[in-house]
Amino acid sequence: MDSRVLPRVDRQLMLYQRWLTERLAVIEDPEHRRCLQHFATWHQMRRLRSKAEKGPLGRSQTSQAKQEITQAGVFLAWLADRGRTI
C-alpha cells in the first residue's frame, strides 16, 4: 500500500468488517442475522466508507458502529421475547 501497488485500506474499517463477520456468524436466528446484515451494509458500512475516504477512521467511530449492532441485536431479541418482529 505504501508503494501504491495496492489500494489503501483503512485499518479500522478492515478490523470492523472482520468483527462484523464474526458477530453475525454467532447469531442463531436467521431473520435477526439478515436484519443486522442489512443494517450494517446499507447504513454503517456506507457511512464508515464515506468517512474513511476523507481520512483514517478512529477507533471511536468503529466502536460506535459495533455498539449499534450490539444494541440492535438486543432490541431484536427483546422484540422476539414478546412475540414481535421489526
Side-chain angles (χ1 to χ4, degrees):
M1 288 188 293
D2 288 336
S3 62
R4 299 186 183 176
V5 174
L6 297 173
R8 285 224 171 263
V9 177
D10 188 281
R11 177 174 165 68
Q12 292 300 319
L13 184 60
M14 184 178 64
L15 292 172
Y16 172 73
Q17 289 173 313
R18 183 184 316 159
W19 174 87
L20 181 62
T21 299
E22 293 169 358
R23 176 71 176 100
L24 293 174
V26 299
I27 297 173
E28 294 179 12
D29 186 309
E31 185 62 22
H32 290 185
R33 187 171 40 253
R34 186 186 67 76
C35 284
L36 292 172
Q37 176 68 51
H38 285 183
F39 174 59
T41 301
W42 297 107
H43 176 70
Q44 291 183 321
M45 291 302 296
R46 186 170 60 177
R47 183 182 69 206
L48 290 172
R49 284 186 181 121
S50 176
K51 288 181 179 184
E53 286 176 4
K54 297 172 187 168
L57 293 175
R59 279 191 189 160
S60 64
Q61 292 165 311
T62 54
S63 292
Q64 178 183 347
K66 290 177 183 179
Q67 186 64 27
E68 289 173 2
I69 286 290
T70 300
Q71 290 302 315
V74 168
F75 180 62
L76 290 172
W78 182 84
L79 287 173
D81 288 345
R82 285 150 183 79
R84 308 279 178 151
T85 60
I86 198 158

